[in-house]
Amino acid sequence: MEQIQLAENVKFSRIVHGLWRLAEWNMTDAEVVQLIEQCMELGITTFDHADIYGDYTCEALFGQALRQKPSLRENMQIVTKCGIKLLSDKYPERTVKYYDTSKEHIIRSVEQSLRNLQTEYIDVLLIHRPDPFMNPAEVAEAFRQLRQEGKVLQFGVSNFLPSQFDMLSAHVDEPLVTNQIEISALQLEHFGNGTLDKCQETRIAPMAWSPLAGGSIFRDSSERAVRVRGVLEKIGGEIGATSLDEVLYAWLLQHPARIMPIVGSGKLERIQSAMNATKLSMTTHQWFEIYTASMGHEVP
């Protein structure tokens, strides 16, 4: 499995496993351990979390599994996110969902994630959403302290536009190492708004959440989804893919920005599809066939 060097002390597997639905999979600790081991045997060593996933439960479920086999931690990379405060029964005092990127909250959030995940450090911490009330100097202070204490190795962002990325970058001591953004054959926004351009300018590899468009590309009856499915089926036959999943992942992997798709499934066969895609290639012509089908018109 190809690895992406994000920083001197952090490498990610090209395919990332996402745990945001872990609580829905109803797995025992032993089953979670087995899933982690199966991913790692395939070469997927990077696992993506957030403090809020599963109404604040998924990190702890993963940590309980790691406690059963702590040696797994040595060869994996853990990503988690903070900054969103959900409306939740666990926090009855909240009357509105909001963002909190204060130094105090970031540090407290990381310390809770460390307890939940049963680990001494997080490989990469991401600010989950751009915060309209963000004080970037305060975020930088939190990053500095967490790095000095060895609690976080590197930092990045999620869902940041180029101007937001630049704003925070201007304050932090070391470069941000990734931006986790939504990219799929039905979500083209970041190809045109400068976000992927910024990733390539700064030579950082972005992570792609919802690379299968939340599954809508397989089931929607809209004209756009039907059109894209038809092209995916055609190109899948041309490149030797055995499923539409593989074509969708291959389309992302082909892009020169070194996109790292996040596979958010607990089913080994779906994870295997992403792995199969790493062995596929498509021409620029085929890539643009999919892009054009999604846009619904030819490029200018």
Side-chain angles (χ1 to χ4, degrees):
M1 159 74 77
E2 178 189 1
Q3 291 189 317
I4 301 291
Q5 189 88 46
L6 272 68
E8 185 177 349
N9 58 350
V10 176
K11 285 182 181 179
F12 277 9
S13 53
R14 186 68 192 274
I15 303 295
V16 176
H17 190 241
L19 282 303
W20 73 287
R21 285 180 170 157
L22 177 57
E24 300 173 20
W25 299 339
N26 296 316
M27 291 181 171
T28 64
D29 290 348
E31 288 171 332
V32 177
V33 169
Q34 182 181 38
L35 180 64
I36 294 169
E37 289 179 322
Q38 289 171 331
C39 285
M40 296 182 78
E41 286 167 7
L42 290 172
I44 300 172
T45 59
T46 306
F47 296 87
D48 180 70
H49 295 268
D51 57 349
I52 62 171
Y53 286 169
D55 192 21
Y56 299 92
T57 64
C58 289
E59 285 184 333
L61 291 172
F62 191 85
Q64 287 168 203
L66 272 188
R67 188 169 54 188
Q68 308 302 311
K69 197 165 184 180
S71 61
L72 290 171
R73 180 66 180 102
E74 297 171 19
N75 298 307
M76 72 166 57
Q77 304 83 45
I78 292 179
V79 185
T80 196
K81 312 174 200 71
C82 69
I84 299 176
K85 287 187 168 179
L86 294 180
L87 289 171
S88 169
D89 292 340
K90 296 178 176 63
Y91 299 96
E93 72 280 4
R94 295 178 190 168
T95 59
V96 64
K97 176 185 176 182
Y98 67 106
Y99 302 145
D100 188 346
T101 52
S102 65
K103 178 181 177 181
E104 179 185 15
H105 177 69
I106 292 171
I107 290 173
R108 187 189 307 120
S109 203
V110 165
E111 290 173 344
Q112 184 60 55
S113 291
L114 292 172
R115 287 190 291 272
N116 288 342
L117 292 162
Q118 305 277 328
T119 186
E120 295 181 357
Y121 67 95
I122 290 162
D123 293 88
V124 177
L125 175 72
L126 308 180
I127 299 298
H128 204 155
R129 289 274 176 182
D131 175 6
F133 199 64
M134 177 185 287
N135 179 341
E138 196 169 331
V139 175
E141 286 179 16
F143 286 4
R144 187 177 304 118
Q145 179 176 326
L146 290 166
R147 180 180 279 115
Q148 289 172 349
E149 293 174 349
K151 293 176 180 176
V152 181
L153 301 185
Q154 297 292 338
F155 300 87
V157 294
S158 183
N159 304 297
F160 273 48
L161 295 173
S163 61
Q164 296 159 340
F165 186 93
D166 286 344
M167 178 268 294
L168 185 54
S169 294
H171 290 263
V172 296
D173 296 336
E174 295 188 30
L176 301 169
V177 300
T178 192
N179 188 2
Q180 185 178 127
I181 51 182
E182 183 182 6
I183 326 173
S184 73
L186 290 185
Q187 177 51 269
L188 307 181
E189 176 186 4
H190 296 298
F191 292 102
N193 67 6
T195 302
L196 283 171
D197 298 339
K198 174 58 64 174
C199 290
Q200 291 181 278
E201 175 194 334
T202 54
R203 295 175 174 81
I204 69 165
M207 304 168 73
W209 62 269
S210 199
L212 304 182
S216 62
I217 203 163
F218 306 117
R219 58 178 181 267
D220 277 13
S221 57
S222 68
E223 181 183 344
R224 184 188 186 198
V226 171
R227 182 174 64 242
V228 172
R229 268 201 305 275
V231 174
L232 291 171
E233 289 167 356
K234 168 186 172 292
I235 292 175
E238 294 170 355
I239 66 175
T242 60
S243 69
L244 293 188
D245 298 38
E246 292 180 17
V247 188
L248 288 163
Y249 286 121
W251 185 74
L252 291 175
L253 292 165
Q254 195 75 30
H255 195 276
R258 301 180 300 154
I259 296 167
M260 298 178 287
I262 301 171
V263 183
S265 177
K267 297 179 179 178
L268 187 61
E269 61 270 23
R270 303 304 295 271
I271 299 168
Q272 183 67 60
S273 291
M275 290 300 303
N276 295 344
T278 65
K279 300 178 177 67
L280 300 174
S281 62
M282 61 180 65
T283 65
T284 302
H285 183 280
Q286 290 167 327
W287 194 92
F288 270 96
E289 284 188 84
I290 296 170
Y291 188 79
T292 301
S294 183
M295 288 196 302
H297 57 81
E298 66 178 19
V299 295

